Amino acid sequence: MSEHFEVAVVGGGLAGACAAALLTRHAGIAASRIALLAAQLPAPVSPNAAPELRVAAISRASERVLRAAGAWQRLDAARLCPYERMRVWHESAAVDSEAALCFDAADIGEPNLGVIAELSALQRACIDSFRDAGGRLIHAPLERLVIGQDIVRLECAGDVLQTRVVVGADGVHSAVREGAGLSVRSRDYRQLAIVATVETQRPHEHTAWQRFMRTGPLAFLPLFDGRSSIVWSLDSRCAQGLLDCDEREFNARLDAASALALGATRLASERASFPLRSVAAHSYVGARCALIGDAAHVIHPLAGQGANLGLLDAAALCEAIAAAPALHEDPGALRVLRRYEQQRRTHNLAMDAAMSLFQSGFAAARGPGAWLVNRGLTLVNRSSALKRAFARQALGTAGELPRLARSVAA
């Protein structure tokens, strides 16, 4: 069987599912002419279930994108945790010292800096929104991709899809990227990020906490049930020891690494990990093809920006495709897709460079270097203007943004 579409999105992760939902509402294309090809779908979760392991810090700009996609409204508000403050410090300083950078949503007249949300809940909301709008969901992996001059042919589970543009949202090992012949620059940090849910002796105070150490950053993200989600980045060998040790030893080592900023900690879930790398596609677009999310770029998770960058990609690509009729082009024309690439690639590369600089700079800071880092954080702490700038960065509202991220679309 062969089906024909205007746009086919490959990948049902957050970026791909959001892009598909946005396209059904804002691209000026009939929803039935948009396909979402998803090899895996997130399972439903009971409202009383414990927090999921993988969460994301969703910025204000990303919240607007998800609202435009019809997804945010579908989330269970009781399982969201807004965070109002961020506290960042180097291991050579105390968490309550002047060298601990703290900025607050109240400094810029906002109720919060963002929301901690479960990744699979965000995916489900986007997929449900897409289906309810009339989009075509195909639960199957991509098996073969052939890009022609006027059409793209996708083979999956014995079926054939034909589309005028294919969107690669299928992750760091993107089959779409490979099939389109788009190359990447990749750098392995030789680190793993350990994720887990923990209970803490003191309340998280709706604050995101992050301590930078020579071995890598440790973040505590506040969860809706009073617990916290940790993201602990370490060299692979050290990380493996933490994954293999018993719960008592893990708790003791986490207490030492956190300097008891939230009091004693206790592991409250299984431990999971993922490798850390920097990946950047040399080009986000090719003939009748565009890459978004992890298929186009992967950055260090120390600032929690990966999911937000993918959502901004989805919004920018939707807007570029929606503009195609005004250019007298079809949605797969390279001229159309390059408008998306021009808006997003420079921003994403700058964010990647900044995260790499922070990661290497903080890790290398010891002796005089640590003094300089703490001195710099102290100076920022004393400047209300700089603190407001940091808060706006956390909100995701600084710099050039897609229209769908600047305001809530109708």
Side-chain angles (χ1 to χ4, degrees):
M1 183 179 73
S2 179
E3 297 183 81
H4 296 260
F5 298 94
E6 291 290 298
V7 184
V9 180
V10 178
L14 180 55
C18 182
L22 287 171
L23 288 163
T24 61
R25 288 167 168 74
H26 303 285
I29 300 171
S32 61
R33 302 281 289 162
I34 299 168
L36 173 60
L37 187 64
Q40 295 181 326
L41 297 174
V45 171
S46 164
N48 299 320
E52 297 181 32
L53 275 186
R54 296 297 300 272
V55 299
I58 299 299
S59 69
R60 183 77 77 254
S62 291
E63 178 185 334
R64 291 168 182 162
V65 171
L66 289 163
R67 286 187 183 278
W72 192 261
Q73 304 88 318
R74 297 169 181 267
L75 296 172
D76 181 354
R79 296 182 69 88
L80 301 175
C81 185
Y83 62 101
E84 300 162 6
R85 289 165 296 277
M86 294 184 70
R87 184 171 284 272
V88 179
W89 76 105
H90 189 259
E91 65 178 344
S92 60
V95 66
D96 55 356
S97 71
E98 251 198 332
L101 176 60
C102 183
F103 46 99
D104 196 308
D107 293 340
I108 52 173
E110 292 282 347
N112 58 64
L113 295 172
V115 176
I116 306 299
E118 296 159 300
L119 271 176
S120 64
L122 294 168
Q123 286 177 253
R124 285 192 300 272
C126 289
I127 291 170
D128 289 347
S129 178
F130 170 74
R131 283 194 294 202
D132 289 352
R136 175 81 160 88
L137 177 64
I138 301 168
H139 185 194
L142 175 66
E143 296 172 352
R144 188 164 180 258
L145 176 74
V146 180
I147 299 178
Q149 182 176 348
D150 300 314
I151 209 79
V152 180
R153 177 186 171 97
L154 299 90
E155 298 178 10
C156 56
D159 291 335
V160 175
L161 313 181
Q162 295 190 53
T163 182
R164 292 211 281 177
V165 59
V166 61
V167 179
D170 49 342
V172 64
H173 302 296
S174 171
V176 172
R177 189 182 66 219
E178 182 178 350
L182 298 173
S183 61
V184 300
R185 167 195 54 76
S186 180
R187 180 161 68 93
D188 190 345
Y189 284 113
R190 295 184 174 84
Q191 290 184 324
L192 293 178
I194 297 174
V195 293
T197 302
V198 299
E199 294 179 356
T200 57
Q201 185 178 12
R202 291 200 286 272
H204 55 55
E205 300 175 356
H206 290 272
T207 299
W209 307 74
Q210 187 162 44
R211 189 183 192 218
F212 282 90
M213 298 170 285
R214 291 186 296 276
T215 52
L218 168 64
F220 284 74
L221 305 178
L223 296 175
F224 63 87
D225 65 350
R227 292 186 276 189
S228 295
S229 173
I230 63 164
V231 183
W232 192 357
S233 303
L234 300 118
D235 293 342
S236 298
R237 186 180 302 174
C238 296
Q240 195 57 54
L242 283 166
L243 291 167
D244 295 338
C245 70
D246 63 28
E247 185 174 321
R248 182 176 178 179
E249 182 180 350
F250 183 87
N251 291 340
R253 294 175 68 176
L254 181 57
D255 284 349
S258 66
L260 298 176
L262 290 172
T265 55
R266 185 174 72 83
L267 190 64
S269 73
E270 62 179 337
R271 286 161 274 182
S273 67
F274 56 93
L276 300 183
R277 58 173 63 92
S278 167
V279 176
H282 292 118
S283 177
Y284 287 8
V285 301
R288 300 200 169 276
C289 172
L291 305 176
I292 65 172
D294 286 357
H297 49 80
V298 178
I299 67 171
H300 198 286
L302 66 87
Q305 289 301 307
N308 293 305
L309 296 182
L311 291 170
L312 293 177
D313 290 349
L317 179 61
C318 176
E319 291 172 13
I321 289 174
L327 299 173
H328 305 290
E329 298 277 13
D330 73 53
L334 198 54
R335 180 184 172 195
V336 169
L337 300 179
R338 278 186 175 146
R339 289 167 63 93
Y340 152 70
E341 180 182 49
Q342 288 166 0
Q343 181 176 129
R344 294 299 306 149
R345 188 166 180 271
T346 299
H347 178 270
N348 293 337
L349 285 173
M351 184 65 73
D352 184 17
M355 294 307 99
S356 295
L357 181 63
F358 275 118
Q359 191 273 335
S360 59
F362 276 105
R366 53 177 63 88
W371 181 88
L372 286 172
V373 165
N374 290 327
R375 181 61 178 163
L377 292 176
T378 299
L379 291 174
V380 172
N381 246 343
R382 292 174 178 174
S383 168
S384 57
L386 286 174
K387 288 177 71 172
R388 284 195 298 270
F390 270 92
R392 280 192 287 270
Q393 285 291 338
L395 276 172
T397 55
E400 182 183 3
L401 293 172
R403 176 182 54 80
L404 293 171
R406 295 196 298 267
S407 60
V408 178

